[in-house]
C-alpha cells in the first residue's frame, strides 16, 4: 500500500498520510506525491477542495529523519519545497483532520490550511531548535502572526508542544472533536465547500491572503537557506544522530 493515498469524490480530493508504522513521517517520495497531487488538483475543475488527514492516533511525525539526511533538500525544486509551494499557493480551500502528534511540518503545513479539525488527542509541536534547525514552511512568519509572539516563542524557541484546546483558542484549529470523528467532520465541511460557487471561494481565499503571499514565498526561501546551512552544522548532526541512536542529544559541547 502506498504511503500517500489519494481519493477524489464529491469534488473533494483527500490526501491521506499512510505510513503509520513510522508515525506518518514524510519521505521525499511522499512530498513528491503530495506536490503532484496538488498540481493536478489545482488544474482539475472537478476538485473543489482538498483534505489532508493522517490516522486517528498520529497525524505526522514530520520529516522522515533518515530519509531527510540521505536526500537533503538541496534546491527550491526539491520535493519538500514543491509541496510547500503547492499547499501555500493552492487557490481552492484546503482542510485538515489532525489527530495525535503533529510534529514539525505536521504542524507547519496547517498554517497553510483554511480549516483544521482536531481530535481531542491532537498535540502540535515545532521542535526545530531541539534539532539544531530553524523553522520552515514560513512558520517563522506565520506562527507569530497566528499565535501571537509570546506563544510562538514558546512553541518555536522552547519547542514546547501545545494541545488541541490551545490550538483552538489561538485559531489554528476550527473545532475539536473525538478522534474517531475528525476525518468525517473534515469531509462534511469539505463537501459543503464543494457545493458552493468555486469562483467565490477562490476569490474570497485570495482576498483573505492578499498581502501575505509575497512575504510567505520570500520567507520560505530565507528559511530554506538557513535550514540548509544548519543541517550541515554540529548541532543538527548531533540531534539527528541521537534520534537514530534512540538517545537524548548532548548539545553541551556545541
Ligand atoms: N523520522 C523517521 N522515523 C520516525 C520519525 C521520524 N520523524 N518519527 C518516528 N519514527 C519512527 C521511529 O524511529 C520508530 O521506528 P522503529 O519502529 O523502526 O524503531 C517508529 O517510527 C515509531 O516511533 P516511536 O518514537 O517509537 O513512537 P512514539 O509513539 O513513542 O512517539 C512521536 C511518536 C511522533 C512523538 C515520536 O516518534 C517523535 O517524536 N518522532 C520524531 C519527531 C521529530 O523530531 N520530527 C521532526 C522532523 S524535522
Amino acid at each position: 500500500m502506498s504511503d500517500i493515498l489519494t481519493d477524489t469524490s464529491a469534488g473533494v480530493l483527500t490526501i491521506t498520510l499512510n505510513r503509520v508504522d513510522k508515525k506518518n513521517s514524510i519521505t521525499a517520495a511522499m512530498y513528491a506525491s503530495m506536490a503532484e497531487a496538488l498540481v493536478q488538483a489545482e488544474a482539475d475543475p472537478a476538485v473543489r477542495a482538498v483534505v489532508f488527514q493522517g490516522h486517528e492516533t498520529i497525524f505526522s511525525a514530520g520529516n522522515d529523519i533518515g530519509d531527510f539526511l540521505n536526500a537533503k533538500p538541496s534546491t527550491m525544486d526539491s520535493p519538500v519545497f514543491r509541496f510547500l509551494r503547492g499547499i501555500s499557493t493552492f487557490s481552492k480551500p484546503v482542510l485538515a483532520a489532525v489527530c495525535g502528534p503533529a510534529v514539525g511540518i505536521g504542524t507547519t503545513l496547517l498554517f497553510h490550511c483554511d480549516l483544521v479539525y482536531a481530535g481531542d488527542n491532537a498535540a502540535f509541536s515545532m521542535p526545530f531548535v531541539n534539532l539544531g534547525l530553524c523553522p520552515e514552511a514560513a512558520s517563522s512568519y506565520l506562527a507569530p502572526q497566528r499565535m501571537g509572539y509570546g506563544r510562538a516563542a514558546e512553541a518555536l524557541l522552547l519547542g514546547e508542544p501545545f494541545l488541541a484546546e490551545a490550538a483552538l483558542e489561538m485559531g489554528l484549529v476550527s473545532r475539536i472533536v473525538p478522534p474517531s470523528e475528525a476525518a468525517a467532520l473534515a469531509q462534511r465541511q469539505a463537501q459543503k465547500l464543494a457545493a458552493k460557487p468555486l469562483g467565490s471561494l477562490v476569490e474570497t481565499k485570495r482576498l483573505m491572503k492578499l498581502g501575505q503571499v509575497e512575504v510567505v514565498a520570500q520567507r520560505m526561501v530565507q528559511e530554506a537557506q538557513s535550514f540548509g546551512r544548519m543541517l550541515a552544522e554540529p548541532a543538527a548532526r548531533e540531534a539527528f544522530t541521537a534520534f537514530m541512536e534512540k538517545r537524548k542529544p548532548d548539545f553541551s559541547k556545541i
Side-chain angles (χ1 to χ4, degrees), residues 19-27 58 60-69 101 103-104 125 127 130-133 231 234-251:
R19 196 175 177 236
V20 177
D21 59 328
K22 295 290 179 189
K23 301 291 164 183
N24 283 342
S25 54
I26 309 176
T27 60
I58 176 82
S60 174
N63 284 314
D64 179 305
I65 290 178
D67 181 77
F68 192 66
L69 290 179
V103 186
S125 60
N130 301 344
L131 295 167
L133 295 171
L231 257 183
R237 282 215 301 275
E238 165 58 11
F240 287 120
T241 307
F243 179 81
M244 305 305 265
E245 292 174 356
K246 297 189 185 290
R247 62 170 172 81
K248 278 195 181 313
D250 176 7
F251 298 119

Side-chain angles (χ1 to χ4, degrees), residues 119-139:
D120 55 22
N121 61 346
F124 306 85
S125 60
M126 298 182 282
F128 304 112
V129 164
N130 301 344
L131 295 167
L133 295 171
C134 68
E136 35 77 323
S139 55

